[in-house]
């Protein structure tokens, strides 16, 4: 949100606008990196569905490693849960979280 770069910034969805806060790089170690040094992170190695995801300094932890599947799902290595848009919301500002993989459209991501 707001191009924030602080550790612990919670992720949300927003209309694509080409901003640096929307430019993610998939690294060979499974990290999804933004701003060149922050990673998509599951706080505290959580495995509970509904845990919000955040950005945090990259540290090669399993809570920052993701598997990008051909069906569009993004699965946390440490949690085994899918990156999910809360409640299948579509409005700007809707939270991103981890949730049990269920094949829903709110768990299918596309790189542009």
């Amino acid at each position: 949100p707001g191009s924030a770069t602080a550790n612990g910034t919670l992720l949300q969805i927003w209309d694509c606008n080409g901003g640096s806060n929307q430019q993610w790089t998939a690294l060979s170690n499974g990290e999804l990196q933004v701003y060149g040094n922050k990673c998509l992170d599951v706080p505290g190695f959580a495995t509970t569905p509904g845990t919000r995801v955040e950005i945090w300094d990259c540290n090669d932890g399993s809570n920052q490693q993701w598997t990008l599947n051909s069906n569009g799902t993004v699965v946390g290595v440490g949690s085994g849960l899918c990156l999910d848009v809360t409640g299948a919301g579509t409005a700007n500002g809707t939270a991103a979280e981890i949730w049990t993989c269920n094949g829903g459209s709110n768990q299918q991501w596309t790189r542009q």
Side-chain angles (χ1 to χ4, degrees):
S3 297
T5 60
N7 283 340
T9 299
L10 297 172
L11 270 66
Q12 61 186 20
I13 62 167
W14 203 268
D15 293 334
C16 296
N17 59 31
S20 61
N21 60 325
Q22 295 183 347
Q23 297 177 20
W24 294 83
T25 302
L27 302 179
S28 60
N29 65 355
E31 291 176 340
L32 293 176
Q33 192 177 80
V34 67
Y35 301 127
N37 65 344
K38 299 291 182 182
C39 282
L40 179 61
D41 179 280
V42 178
F45 294 83
T47 58
T48 304
T51 301
R52 298 271 316 263
V53 292
E54 63 185 6
I55 58 170
W56 200 269
D57 292 336
C58 297
N59 59 36
D60 204 31
S62 64
N63 63 320
Q64 293 185 346
Q65 295 172 343
W66 303 86
T67 301
L68 306 178
N69 296 310
S70 61
N71 65 357
T73 58
V74 178
V75 179
V77 170
S79 68
L81 300 174
C82 279
L83 183 62
D84 178 282
V85 178
T86 303
T90 58
N92 285 339
T94 302
E97 64 185 3
I98 53 171
W99 195 263
T100 305
C101 298
N102 58 36
S105 61
N106 61 317
Q107 295 183 348
Q108 297 173 8
W109 301 86
T110 303
R111 294 182 65 185
Q112 299 182 1

